[in-house]
């Protein structure tokens, strides 16, 4: 689950990771009020959307006075912000973060991710802050310092020092840097993060280290033990069809293309076992509400799930939903003959395919 920068910064503060003073606002007046609570300007007004690269699209602007903050906020709020990460459709901005502008001496990168091949959290730090880490990795990988953490031992003090030394920080910044890294790692573990990325982590001209940006992703599978964090979800930032699917406990991924696919797999087979005709109907409805879908392919291997049971579910669902596109079904497995017979005799226009190849051929013929 992704959260907004301002939410990420609130979490960072709870773990003693320093962030600029600031606050969130949903209206220009609120933005001015936040600025009035801060020290004298300049201030920065930052669009809150789940995408980076905001500066380039005009989503991050400075303002000298609280009045100017109000003015800038009125232009950013309500805008459809297009950045390299939003796609051409952009994102609607409904909140801004107003914070104290920092006098930046240096921008660094600090990120923690789970490295699946190592089965460990990996902390990455780089002196090339402000740039996408993928870009740094491709062009100047020598600028990235990495430490893999043994989850049973936790982050060792020498690892935090290696990172801080490795990016060339001067001696007086080693203690604040190791403290910063240690606290970010504590948060990563405590909140079951899947990503904690501070880009940039800045050193200010007066020698402080601050998280200027915060990209915190939380592991969906761990949200059951963080009820307070689940509330940070912003449905407006999610694909509406994916939202709808979640409500019905369906796994739905919106891809490009014009073939809607209803399928099962190892874990899904267990879920499909308990699938009611209502769930199948919801699945149909969600797939068909994507206007690009010209044909639906149902490809199910019935092991635990008996094919006749599935066929009965599909038939009932097809009666409930306005099925506007042709449906091709490929069934295989337990009770497959009974399943096919039910479909053929349903009076509904399903095309039952012989096997996977046949199904693919029939689907391709229909979309062309
Ligand atoms: P994004 O990742 O979406 O581009 P960031 O929060 O990383 O947004 O900000 C982009 C740039 O804007 C930073 O690299 C920094 O130069 C500047 N910036 C952001 N917040 C502040 C701030 N509080 N004070 C000064 N400059 C800032
Ligand atoms: Mg950033």
């Amino acid at each position: 689950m992704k959260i907004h920068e301002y939410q990420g910064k609130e979490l960072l503060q709870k773990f003693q990771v320093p962030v600029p003073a600031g606050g969130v606002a949903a209206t220009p007046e609120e933005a001015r009020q936040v600025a009035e609570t801060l020290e004298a300007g300049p201030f920065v007004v930052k669009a809150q959307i789940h995408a980076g690269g905001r500066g380039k699209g005009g989503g991050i602007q400075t303002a000298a006075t609280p009045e100017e903050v109000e003015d800038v906020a009125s232009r950013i709020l309500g805008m459809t912000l297009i950045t390299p990460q939003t796609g051409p459709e952009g994102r609607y901005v409904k909140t801004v973060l107003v914070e104290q502008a920092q006098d930046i001496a240096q921008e660094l990168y600090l990120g923690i991710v789970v490295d699946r091949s190592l089965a460990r959290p990996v902390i990455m730090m780089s002196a090339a802050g402000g740039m996408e880490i993928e870009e740094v990795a491709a062009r100047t990988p020598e600028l990235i310092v990495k430490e893999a953490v043994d989850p049973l031992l936790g982050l060792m003090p020498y690892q935090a020092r290696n990172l801080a030394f490795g990016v060339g920080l001067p001696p007086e910044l080693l203690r604040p840097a190791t403290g910063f890294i240690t606290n970010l790692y504590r948060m990563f573990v405590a909140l079951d993060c899947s990503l904690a990325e501070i880009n940039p982590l800045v050193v200010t001209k007066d020698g402080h280290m601050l998280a200027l940006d915060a990209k915190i992703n939380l592991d969906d599978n761990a949200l059951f033990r963080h009820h307070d964090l689940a509330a940070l979800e912003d449905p407006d930032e999610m694909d509406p069809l994916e939202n709808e699917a979640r409500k019905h406990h369906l796994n739905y991924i919106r891809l490009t293309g014009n073939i809607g696919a209803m399928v099962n797999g190892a874990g899904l087979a267990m879920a499909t076992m308990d699938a009611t005709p209502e769930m199948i109907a919801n699945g149909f409805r969600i797939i068909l509400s994507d206007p690009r879908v010209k044909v639906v392919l149902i490809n199910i291997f019935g092991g635990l799930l008996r094919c006749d049971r599935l066929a009965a579910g599909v038939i009932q669902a097809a009666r409930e939903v306005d099925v506007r596109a042709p449906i091709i079904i490929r069934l295989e497995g337990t009770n497959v003959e009974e399943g096919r017979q039910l479909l053929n005799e349903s009076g509904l226009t399903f095309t039952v395919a012989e096997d996977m190849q046949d199904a693919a051929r029939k689907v391709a013929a229909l979309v062309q």
Side-chain angles (χ1 to χ4, degrees):
M1 183 179 103
K2 293 183 181 177
I3 60 174
H4 286 294
E5 175 195 5
Y6 79 89
Q7 298 168 323
K9 283 179 168 170
E10 283 167 13
L11 296 176
L12 288 172
Q13 278 180 289
K14 290 194 184 151
F15 288 83
Q16 289 80 45
V17 177
V19 302
V24 70
T27 66
E29 301 77 63
E30 271 176 36
R32 178 174 44 75
Q33 284 160 10
V34 172
E36 281 164 354
T37 66
L38 302 174
E39 278 172 40
F43 309 98
V44 181
V45 183
K46 308 177 76 174
Q48 297 299 290
I49 57 169
H50 286 186
R54 292 164 296 168
K56 289 157 202 151
I60 299 180
Q61 295 180 33
T62 52
T65 61
E67 291 68 39
E68 217 180 297
V69 165
E70 179 168 353
D71 186 47
V72 168
S74 72
R75 273 179 276 135
I76 296 180
L77 286 165
M79 82 190 279
T80 299
L81 181 57
I82 299 170
T83 84
Q85 293 180 21
T86 58
E89 69 277 12
R91 292 280 172 80
Y92 181 79
V93 182
K94 55 178 188 177
T95 49
V96 289
L97 171 63
V98 179
E99 60 184 23
Q100 201 85 60
Q102 304 299 314
D103 225 350
I104 302 168
Q106 194 187 351
E107 298 200 345
L108 302 150
Y109 173 95
L110 176 64
I112 310 179
V113 288
V114 177
D115 183 317
R116 284 162 198 270
S117 57
L118 294 176
R120 291 175 177 206
V122 168
I123 309 181
M124 291 181 288
M125 200 164 179
S126 163
M131 285 205 286
E132 296 296 316
I133 193 69
E134 292 82 1
E135 208 178 308
V136 182
R139 287 200 206 157
T140 47
E142 68 281 3
L143 290 184
I144 303 176
V145 191
K146 287 188 199 175
E147 284 288 340
V149 182
D150 181 328
L152 296 181
L153 295 177
L155 174 65
M156 292 281 137
Y158 80 87
Q159 295 185 296
R161 285 197 297 271
N162 276 352
L163 291 160
F165 270 119
V167 297
L169 286 173
E172 68 273 16
L173 284 176
L174 291 179
R175 193 181 286 270
T178 53
F180 196 111
I181 297 164
T182 308
N183 287 337
L184 186 67
Y185 184 78
R186 265 197 315 125
M187 183 184 95
F188 184 87
V189 173
L191 302 186
D192 292 307
C193 298
S194 54
L195 172 75
E197 188 181 65
I198 309 301
N199 190 22
L201 156 59
V202 298
V203 181
T204 59
K205 295 234 169 86
D206 56 3
H208 290 102
M209 298 192 93
L210 292 170
L212 219 63
D213 194 5
K215 185 170 166 186
I216 311 296
N217 294 355
L218 304 166
D219 184 345
D220 291 328
N221 295 314
L223 282 178
F224 72 94
R225 51 185 188 195
H226 303 286
H227 292 290
D228 47 332
L229 297 181
L232 301 181
E233 177 158 47
D234 183 351
D236 293 343
E237 289 282 342
M238 289 168 52
D239 185 282
L241 288 181
E242 289 183 13
N243 264 336
E244 176 75 10
R246 262 164 64 126
K247 258 196 266 165
H248 302 291
H249 307 288
L250 295 163
N251 289 311
Y252 170 80
I253 303 167
R254 192 162 184 214
L255 302 170
T256 53
N258 51 15
I259 300 170
M262 194 186 276
V263 298
N264 71 340
L268 204 56
M270 298 300 289
T272 326
M273 262 256 286
D274 304 323
T276 58
E278 290 79 57
M279 279 179 85
I280 300 178
N282 282 322
F284 263 137
R285 212 167 29 73
I286 289 165
I287 289 174
L288 291 166
S289 44
D290 185 337
R292 295 168 305 180
V293 170
K294 299 285 178 270
V295 47
V296 179
L297 167 64
I298 301 180
N299 181 29
I300 305 262
F301 185 85
L304 295 165
L305 171 70
R306 290 173 6 229
C307 289
D308 55 331
R309 231 190 111 175
L310 173 90
V314 169
I315 291 163
Q316 193 183 329
R319 292 210 164 100
E320 286 167 18
V321 179
D322 168 32
V323 183
R324 58 159 179 85
I327 300 174
I328 312 279
I329 306 187
R330 177 251 173 167
L331 289 177
E332 209 55 75
T334 315
N335 293 0
V336 63
E337 283 317 320
E338 291 87 330
R340 286 188 186 149
Q341 195 179 344
L342 279 173
L343 289 167
N344 284 327
E345 290 168 1
S346 67
L348 294 161
T349 51
F350 298 112
T351 306
V352 183
E354 289 305 313
D355 53 27
M356 192 56 217
Q357 282 224 324
D358 183 42
R361 233 180 267 120
K362 287 184 161 128
V363 166
L366 276 167
V367 289
Q368 266 153 26

